[in-house]
Amino acid sequence: MALAEPEMMDGREPAPMEKPQGYWAGVGERLLQDKLTMACFGVLMLLILSAVFAPWLGLADPYKGSMIARLKPIGTEGYPLGTDEQGRDMLARLIYGGRLTLFIGLMPVVFAFFIGSFLGVLAGYVGGLTNTIIMRTIDVFFAFPSVLLAIAISGALGAGIFNSLVSLTIVFIPPITRVAEAVTSGVRSLDYIDAARATGANNWTVIRMHVIGNVLSPIFVYATSLTSVCMILAAGLSFLGIGVRPPEPEWGLMLNTLRSAIYINPWLSALPGMMIFVTSLCLNLLSDGLRSAMNVRD
Amino acid sequence: MSATEDVGYDPTPDTGGPAQPLIKVQNLKKYFPVRGGPLGRVQAQVQAVDGVSFDVAKGETLGIVGESGCGKSTTAKLLIGLTERDQGDIIFDGLALGEKLSLKDLRRGVQMVFQDSYATLNPRMTIEASVAFGARVQGLDKPEDRARKLMDRVGLDPARFAHRYPHELSGGQRQRVNIARALAMSPRLVVLDEAVSALDKSVEAQVLNLLNDLRAEFGLTYIFISHDLNVVRYISDRILVMYLGEVVEVAPVASIWAEQAHPYTRSLFSAMPSMDPDNRTKEPPLSGDPPNPINPPSGCRFHTRCRFKADVCKTKTPKLAGLSVNAKHMVACHLHDADSGHPKAGQGVPS
Amino acid sequence: MTGKLVDIRNLSVRFKGKRTVHAINDVSLSMEQGETLALLGESGSGKSVTLKTLLGLLPPKRSEIDGSIHVNGVDVLSLRGKALAKYRGGEVSMVFQEPALALDPVFTVGHQIAESVRRHKGVSRDEAMSVALDMLDRVRIPSANRRLHNYPHELSGGMRQRVMIALALACRPRLLLADEPTTALDATVQIQILLLLRELQKEFGMGVIFVTHDIGVAVEISERVAVMYAGQIFEEGTTREIIREGRHPYTQGLLAANLHDVEQGQRLNAIPGAPPALESKPDGCSFAPRCPKALPECTAGLPPMLMPAPRRRVACIRAGEPVVAE
């Protein structure tokens, strides 16, 4: 009863004949089934789209104030969300404010994602002295609380949108680098990297084909979770007066200028804070959803 | 019609002729530093592989056995350049690595199959891409074609499996993929590092049959590393026994199966579970665990556990030498060396 | 109840989740006091799940259990809370495959054994410590006095497994469950642990269920063997009966795959294919798709249980036929 043919039936299940879906298609499908994540994604898209298309939404001029219509409560005729301390339309300012807030909330993380991933993957894959130099430098930045670091760099560079971007990017490079390094050195020790090296492939090919794909999604998920922190930090810088300067609409700055009105119209003053809260909550939940959707095995 | 032409198996041409061993290893050494303390100073050395020499003839299968920490896996990684050797020569078909042979060319001729079939496959790559990867790296023509033919040859229908991911396969199927992946570069030597150890027994037998077929079909030479003596005996022509980074015995299968010349080899063989319910093992052949390879014992490294040790064993390192009755059966033990100074020198291992 | 140590009747375990897995299907098994039984099977055969069910370790929300389990007359499946805690570690205890994972790295081994003794026997700290010392002696750990104050990471693999056994036996359980305790060990250490378990079993007179995939290990440790496949018991008998005259084609295949007496290079009689996925309850012989002797009847219905001798059973239509040498 020796088998003349190689055993072809070593299959646990009858495999479907059609081409199975790829990795990203699987991630997409799992995300679509996750209602909470999809809801958060919807809210964020709404915020982003309305911010981007603000000029075409027929809103009031966010810069034009009125001395007689100051601090109108929510629901006032002509001002659905009331007016601020200079009589500017809150709805318009909140939506226009989304542009700057989301921009300086997201862009530093995007920059830090690329720079940090590069440094982390390099340190994790090469190891040795390179690793020591990169990681010990990163450790120096870790010695400062992130808020303090952001304030210090912004303070040194001076107020302004560009400087805020620079300081926040610097703040977020260390944590991303550290995660990237940890994930990469984990992957580096796996057998499939050895197997790939054993084919005679050079380091660059191994990194490109085998390392990047396996480290990028955990780093990406982590970076997503940082965006909410970044938004809050950016708003904090504006609140302190070293970020965006008035009269630009920005949620953190608005929160600051409306501070004095908290006893007159507390709900109105809370609106920019609510926007920050909702956005960062959605970002956090989205990153959780992404994490579980990107898990290959479950 | 030859199946070899089917798959497009084209190994590098034979340069040394049949008498030239396919791979020859001389005095191979690898010490791993153990770092510690606040400054990460080197505090000790793990003598993972310490002066290992052997050669494997063309078409032969050498089995390497030993317990954890004996250096068999490090030896495998040294052979394919995954770990850099500290010292020693690796000569592939007459060409010395680092002189006439580049690392990339060595890897064209030597491939490896690892134990953990899942960890050795990139979870984000399809089976076809994984198998084709090496062929593409080595610049062989039509890597995908080659991959599909090899998948077919190892018993995986390409139409069903080419676009699947590793986690969708069973352990046996994944190990077939790993074999196909190693063969995609048309190597002449395949190092199988515990390649069937993680498989269920029934699947293990299938994969062993496959390995036998492939060896015959492609004229392969194997180095087969395992802790399972029965499997090693089944597939190998010669067996090499390692203990704490050194070779203690190397001999043709029949010879070593009939008579183990080294006390350690003898213990290893009698530690095999008996298959006879009426004749179960009465007494463990050795007590305790293998010593730590960080600070291996002096002299003969086995002397701390050896029943026949004498003073000379603690100071003098025995040399690997052929037995007087059979020069192909080599052993490193003072008991077999008439001039060693052991009280029972030249008498062999007492039973 | 009878005086049986273990009495499992018609046990079925299903895991629910994205896909249902019928891990154990209608398993009945009984053991007398002080017997040693090996559950022999490959991965996914349900041998480990059987052990976990015996110890009440399955996640209650995800598993559905039918049938009954009595250990020493106690209905295990109805135990909850304190009674379950007392049963685990007191009546029954377990030795795991990876002692490095099963021992707590932050406590000394002496502390861990003493703690378990105190919890179950309610003795003083000093008494518990002396029990721990005695146990380390009994598992033949050299200079036990010193080892008492070692942390698990300071011990070698074989030593850790001895500590694990000492921990499991400290409260003198009636039943010891061993889940592949020697698989992760080197050959020369494995045989030491097997012989130690054999001696301790005689000394303490406890029953042992030993899960393994290795026939050789089963021969060394046990008097009786039950061969599992796809969540069912295919064959049961004394070790001698199984090794000498295994009747089920699967048992025969396993024996052949052990390579014990195979000529070098000779083609192996490998069992083709792989075990079934267990997504549905079997309605025929689960082994039929891989079986060299399968008949059309095999897939038509569950195979009959033949009992050629007392406490000997085979689940195969063709088990009654005389064994032909191949």
Side-chain angles (χ1 to χ4, degrees):
Chain A
M1 56 166 224
L3 287 146
E5 279 298 303
E7 299 73 22
M8 304 280 279
M9 57 270 260
D10 181 15
R12 272 174 196 273
E13 68 275 84
M17 292 300 281
E18 85 273 15
K19 184 176 167 177
Q21 61 183 10
Y23 171 71
W24 289 108
V27 171
E29 191 172 291
R30 272 173 297 217
L31 273 179
L32 282 175
Q33 283 167 2
D34 186 347
K35 295 207 173 58
L36 182 64
T37 307
M38 287 318 289
C40 290
F41 183 69
V43 171
L44 283 173
M45 282 320 288
L46 191 70
L47 282 169
I48 292 172
L49 288 178
S50 62
V52 170
F53 296 107
W56 294 278
L57 293 179
L59 296 164
D61 183 350
Y63 298 100
K64 192 169 153 256
S66 157
M67 289 308 279
I68 44 167
R70 292 196 305 175
L71 293 175
K72 291 281 182 202
I74 297 168
T76 309
E77 173 115 31
Y79 303 105
L81 287 179
T83 56
D84 71 356
E85 79 289 345
Q86 293 191 34
R88 294 174 292 203
D89 182 49
M90 274 302 274
L91 179 65
R93 281 186 73 76
L94 284 175
I95 290 178
Y96 273 94
R99 300 181 128 192
L100 262 181
T101 315
L102 291 171
F103 181 72
I104 58 174
L106 294 178
M107 287 325 280
V109 179
V110 173
F111 292 139
F113 173 71
F114 285 113
I115 300 171
S117 301
F118 173 76
L119 289 174
V121 170
L122 186 72
Y125 188 83
V126 179
L129 188 65
T130 315
N131 182 302
T132 310
I133 292 171
I134 294 177
M135 296 319 288
R136 291 302 84 80
T137 315
I138 292 298
D139 283 348
V140 173
F141 284 92
F142 259 110
F144 302 98
S146 55
V147 181
L148 209 62
L149 191 63
I151 293 173
I153 302 172
S154 279
L157 296 173
I161 295 171
F162 179 75
N163 290 345
S164 299
L165 283 180
V166 172
S167 72
L168 289 171
T169 305
I170 295 175
V171 166
F172 287 107
I173 289 173
I176 291 179
T177 308
R178 185 174 273 191
V179 168
E181 191 261 352
V183 178
T184 309
S185 46
V187 167
R188 171 81 171 76
S189 66
L190 292 175
D191 284 350
Y192 64 82
I193 300 296
D194 269 354
R197 288 172 59 216
T199 60
N202 60 30
N203 284 336
W204 169 236
T205 311
V206 175
I207 292 182
R208 195 164 48 88
M209 297 289 290
H210 294 278
V211 178
I212 298 281
N214 286 290
V215 299
L216 227 46
S217 61
I219 307 175
F220 180 71
V221 169
Y222 178 68
T224 325
S225 76
L226 286 180
T227 47
S228 62
V229 182
C230 185
M231 266 190 44
I232 292 169
L233 270 184
L237 288 182
S238 303
F239 181 88
L240 292 172
I242 44 178
V244 178
R245 275 173 295 197
E248 295 298 325
E250 198 271 349
W251 296 341
L253 188 63
M254 288 162 70
L255 199 59
N256 184 11
T257 52
L258 280 169
R259 194 171 35 136
S260 50
I262 198 160
Y263 298 108
I264 306 164
N265 200 337
W267 287 110
L268 190 69
S269 332
L271 279 175
M274 291 280 288
M275 296 299 284
I276 297 174
F277 171 74
V278 169
T279 316
S280 70
L281 183 72
C282 285
L283 282 168
N284 272 329
L285 292 174
L286 183 69
S287 105
D288 278 353
L290 272 180
R291 185 187 357 248
S292 50
M294 281 180 167
N295 203 347
V296 187
R297 269 184 290 182
D298 59 348
Chain B
M1 183 202 82
S2 136
T4 311
E5 283 158 16
D6 255 351
V7 180
Y9 203 83
D10 51 351
T12 49
D14 193 330
T15 50
Q20 176 77 44
L22 184 59
I23 196 156
K24 192 173 177 67
V25 170
Q26 279 172 334
N27 198 23
L28 200 59
K29 273 190 191 170
K30 179 67 196 178
Y31 290 4
F32 292 106
V34 180
R35 290 174 195 277
L39 295 173
R41 287 229 181 87
V42 177
Q43 303 206 317
Q45 305 263 9
V46 178
Q47 307 188 356
V49 173
D50 198 7
V52 165
S53 306
F54 61 84
D55 48 46
V56 188
K58 284 167 185 161
E60 188 189 33
T61 295
L62 177 73
I64 302 185
V65 297
E67 295 175 283
S68 57
C70 74
K72 53 190 196 299
S73 285
T74 309
T75 306
K77 289 194 171 179
L78 288 169
L79 283 182
I80 182 168
L82 281 177
T83 304
E84 221 166 297
R85 67 212 146 119
D86 290 343
Q87 208 183 312
D89 298 318
I90 296 171
I91 302 160
F92 183 76
D93 203 6
L95 306 172
L97 174 64
E99 291 166 24
K100 287 186 175 162
L101 188 72
S102 71
L103 191 58
K104 190 168 175 178
D105 288 341
L106 175 78
R107 287 169 174 171
R108 169 93 158 80
V110 186
Q111 275 300 308
M112 185 159 167
V113 179
F114 300 78
Q115 171 172 12
D116 187 337
S117 65
Y118 189 76
T120 41
L121 290 172
N122 185 341
R124 296 285 163 81
M125 266 194 185
T126 60
I127 300 308
E128 184 190 65
S130 274
V131 176
F133 178 78
R136 179 169 295 126
V137 165
Q138 290 284 354
L140 304 182
D141 56 329
K142 295 192 214 150
E144 270 79 19
D145 262 17
R146 201 176 276 270
R148 284 172 166 263
K149 282 177 185 160
L150 273 168
M151 284 174 65
D152 192 36
R153 183 60 200 87
V154 298
L156 296 169
D157 180 6
R160 269 172 55 188
F161 290 99
H163 297 288
R164 308 199 124 219
Y165 287 87
H167 70 273
E168 300 172 306
L169 270 58
S170 71
Q173 291 169 338
R174 281 198 296 262
Q175 206 55 301
R176 287 166 195 265
V177 173
N178 280 316
I179 292 169
R181 191 246 306 267
L183 296 182
M185 275 149 285
S186 307
R188 295 167 68 193
L189 174 68
V190 182
V191 180
L192 300 140
D193 185 5
E194 301 274 8
V196 296
S197 306
L199 302 177
D200 278 328
K201 277 285 168 197
S202 64
V203 179
E204 180 187 271
Q206 299 169 11
V207 174
L208 286 173
N209 277 340
L210 174 66
L211 288 173
N212 262 337
D213 293 348
L214 294 171
R215 177 170 57 186
E217 188 173 324
F218 300 135
L220 295 172
T221 301
Y222 288 154
I223 292 183
F224 192 95
I225 298 173
S226 177
H227 65 276
D228 187 331
L229 288 170
N230 281 321
V231 174
V232 171
R233 181 192 69 144
Y234 168 72
I235 197 139
S236 315
D237 300 311
R238 279 193 306 147
I239 294 185
L240 180 145
V241 186
M242 287 184 76
Y243 186 76
L244 289 179
E246 293 179 338
V247 178
V248 296
E249 187 164 355
V250 53
V253 168
S255 175
I256 202 169
W257 216 261
E259 171 99 44
Q260 300 95 48
H262 197 283
Y264 173 66
T265 316
R266 180 168 291 186
S267 313
L268 204 58
F269 275 65
S270 36
M272 272 196 291
S274 139
M275 281 299 288
D276 181 358
D278 296 314
N279 195 10
R280 305 204 287 192
T281 310
K282 302 252 167 22
E283 206 183 323
L286 285 179
S287 61
D289 295 47
N292 197 328
I294 290 181
N295 287 313
S298 61
C300 171
R301 291 189 174 174
F302 186 60
H303 83 254
T304 50
R305 300 169 87 194
C306 184
R307 214 173 285 182
F308 312 108
K309 66 162 180 279
D311 287 340
V312 63
C313 302
K314 294 178 192 164
T315 51
K316 198 169 137 195
T317 308
K319 293 239 162 13
L320 197 64
L323 292 181
S324 48
V325 287
N326 180 0
K328 282 185 180 164
H329 192 144
M330 314 237 301
V331 63
C333 178
H334 291 314
L335 284 169
H336 294 280
D337 178 4
D339 310 322
S340 66
H342 193 285
K344 290 180 179 167
Q347 296 174 13
V349 184
S351 37
Chain C
M1 282 311 299
T2 53
K4 280 184 179 140
L5 176 59
V6 178
D7 193 13
I8 299 176
R9 294 207 180 163
N10 306 100
L11 182 71
S12 291
V13 176
R14 269 186 308 281
F15 292 118
K16 295 170 296 181
K18 266 190 188 164
R19 20 173 244 157
T20 307
V21 177
H22 293 256
I24 296 185
N25 299 302
D26 201 17
V27 160
S28 297
L29 188 67
S30 68
M31 246 177 98
E32 303 295 332
Q33 302 278 352
E35 255 180 358
T36 320
L37 171 82
L39 279 185
L40 184 65
E42 299 180 280
S43 54
S45 62
K47 54 195 196 312
S48 290
V49 178
T50 310
L51 276 205
K52 285 188 179 155
T53 320
L54 263 170
L55 210 49
L57 283 177
L58 294 182
K61 282 191 182 144
R62 286 186 44 242
S63 43
E64 254 174 48
I65 306 176
D66 290 327
S68 72
I69 301 180
H70 287 86
V71 172
N72 232 354
V74 178
D75 180 3
V76 176
L77 294 178
S78 69
L79 290 177
R80 295 282 179 276
K82 271 193 179 162
L84 185 60
K86 193 161 175 289
Y87 163 80
R88 287 184 194 153
E91 279 293 288
V92 178
S93 58
M94 186 145 166
V95 181
F96 297 87
Q97 179 172 354
E98 281 289 343
L101 303 178
L103 290 169
D104 192 330
V106 301
F107 293 109
T108 62
V109 297
H111 181 98
Q112 292 185 49
I113 299 173
E115 205 37 48
S116 161
V117 174
R118 265 159 49 101
R119 203 166 45 234
H120 286 284
K121 298 267 151 94
V123 298
S124 77
R125 192 177 297 264
D126 288 345
E127 269 176 77
M129 226 30 181
S130 70
V131 172
L133 180 60
D134 175 52
M135 284 313 301
L136 289 192
D137 259 335
R138 281 168 185 268
V139 295
R140 324 281 189 269
I141 289 186
S143 49
N145 226 331
R146 199 158 49 83
R147 293 294 181 197
L148 207 53
H149 305 291
N150 277 155
Y151 289 91
H153 71 265
E154 297 172 308
L155 304 173
S156 63
M159 237 21 131
R160 276 200 288 259
Q161 198 53 282
R162 284 169 196 265
V163 169
M164 193 66 229
I165 293 170
L167 181 64
L169 298 184
C171 297
R172 305 293 156 102
R174 303 287 280 277
L175 176 63
L176 178 71
L177 307 177
D179 189 1
E180 306 243 10
T182 61
T183 306
L185 302 175
D186 279 323
T188 58
V189 182
Q190 159 168 299
I191 194 79
Q192 295 172 36
I193 298 291
L194 289 177
L195 295 185
L196 173 72
L197 274 173
R198 223 158 71 187
E199 282 172 41
L200 291 172
Q201 189 270 329
K202 268 195 207 109
E203 205 175 317
F204 288 45
M206 68 209 164
V208 176
I209 300 183
F210 196 103
V211 161
T212 181
H213 67 275
D214 187 332
I215 295 187
V217 168
V219 170
E220 287 290 358
I221 193 81
S222 63
E223 302 155 12
R224 302 182 57 77
V225 174
V227 180
M228 286 193 80
Y229 184 83
Q232 294 150 298
I233 292 183
F234 270 7
E235 182 159 11
E236 191 199 349
T238 64
T239 310
R240 204 166 282 111
E241 286 163 342
I242 299 289
I243 298 295
R244 298 270 162 79
E245 40 179 314
R247 298 225 186 159
H248 198 287
Y250 176 65
T251 314
Q252 292 166 351
L254 273 188
L255 284 165
N258 189 56
L259 304 183
H260 187 66
D261 286 320
V262 185
E263 274 300 299
Q264 193 196 346
Q266 174 195 343
R267 196 159 184 86
L268 299 172
N269 286 338
I271 306 174
L278 299 177
E279 275 168 347
S280 57
K281 207 168 172 65
D283 48 7
C285 175
S286 312
F287 187 62
R290 304 174 73 188
C291 184
K293 297 181 179 173
L295 302 172
E297 297 92 288
C298 292
T299 43
L302 288 172
M305 188 64 83
L306 298 184
M307 307 224 186
R311 305 199 67 201
R312 171 104 175 91
R313 55 176 162 152
V314 191
C316 178
I317 292 182
R318 304 190 61 176
E321 299 171 11
V323 183
V324 205
E326 290 184 41

